Amino acid sequence: MSRWEELTGGTSGQDYAARFAALACSGKDVHGEARFCTALVPAGARVLDAGCGTGRVMIRLAELGYDCVGVDLDVSMLAVARNQAPGLPWLQVDLAEFEPDLLGIAADFDLVVAAGNIFPLLAADTEATVVKRLAAALRPGGLMVAGFGLDEAHLPVPPSITLPEYDDCCAAADLTLVDRFATWDAVPYDGGGYAVSVHRR
């Protein structure tokens, strides 16, 4: 069982969506991750939203002209995504078992994005496997971007993966660090409790 399942019971889709809807209504920018992605690859690029949740990031990218596929294990989150954007491909898959070929999709993504604390919320000891699976879905030269908390102030669960550990997982999957930021607004990373890392295959 993933830490996310332990935390939510797999029933938090509506509540999660409502929280971001309220933020949007209050004038908060809820599209920072999508905007970050648009600076990495041009419109028309193939994007895998790994741990897509309710689809907030992917729906925005699709609106901007990106060719997107969303993958998540949480049925309640995917139900919201499918209701909001029924024409987009939403796949229920454990990221540790993700194999594009078996799902009938090409493993030639230009970008894999893992927003929303995906790696700290995985099942214990699956981080390296998930990185390997996601890296294998990239075309040569493709990018993987992951943003996640590193301390209790930035996570709903105790910290479970450090940046050196994440970088080691990436290196083992033949990914090279390109850049690292402190936020999805591309503020330079300063050693704080949240990091957005960009790696290239």
Side-chain angles (χ1 to χ4, degrees):
M1 179 179 291
S2 71
R3 297 180 184 94
W4 173 256
E5 290 173 291
E6 294 172 356
L7 181 69
T8 68
T11 61
S12 64
Q14 292 289 347
D15 290 342
Y16 190 89
R19 179 159 60 90
F20 277 95
L23 287 172
C25 287
S26 72
K28 298 286 186 182
D29 177 17
V30 296
H31 295 303
E33 299 99 327
R35 186 170 56 253
F36 185 95
C37 291
T38 66
L40 295 177
V41 292
R46 294 194 74 226
V47 178
L48 175 67
D49 190 347
C52 61
T54 59
R56 175 176 54 87
V57 176
M58 178 167 141
I59 291 171
R60 179 59 176 161
L61 287 172
E63 290 172 347
L64 295 172
Y66 290 82
D67 179 11
C68 301
V69 175
V71 177
D72 205 289
L73 187 58
D74 189 318
V75 175
S76 71
M77 303 285 270
L78 286 172
V80 174
R82 288 171 175 147
N83 183 62
Q84 292 182 340
L88 296 179
W90 308 104
L91 305 176
Q92 185 191 1
V93 183
D94 186 334
L95 292 177
E97 300 173 0
F98 177 61
E99 292 189 50
D101 291 348
L102 296 182
L103 297 167
I105 55 178
D108 63 351
F109 288 93
D110 300 293
L111 176 68
V112 171
V113 56
N117 286 319
I118 299 304
F119 284 97
L121 293 170
L122 293 171
D125 301 320
T126 64
E127 296 88 353
T129 298
V130 170
V131 170
K132 183 178 179 180
R133 298 274 189 182
L134 297 180
L138 286 168
R139 64 166 178 78
L143 298 171
M144 184 163 81
V145 56
F148 54 87
L150 303 164
D151 58 24
E152 293 188 4
H154 295 86
L155 288 169
V157 296
S160 59
I161 185 169
T162 66
L163 283 180
E165 289 169 342
Y166 177 68
D167 286 342
D168 286 346
C169 291
C170 289
D174 294 323
L175 297 174
T176 302
L177 181 65
V178 175
D179 216 335
R180 178 162 283 145
F181 304 93
T183 69
W184 291 97
D185 292 324
V187 174
Y189 182 68
D190 59 359
Y194 190 90
V196 179
S197 305
V198 183
H199 287 77
R200 185 183 305 277
R201 183 178 178 190

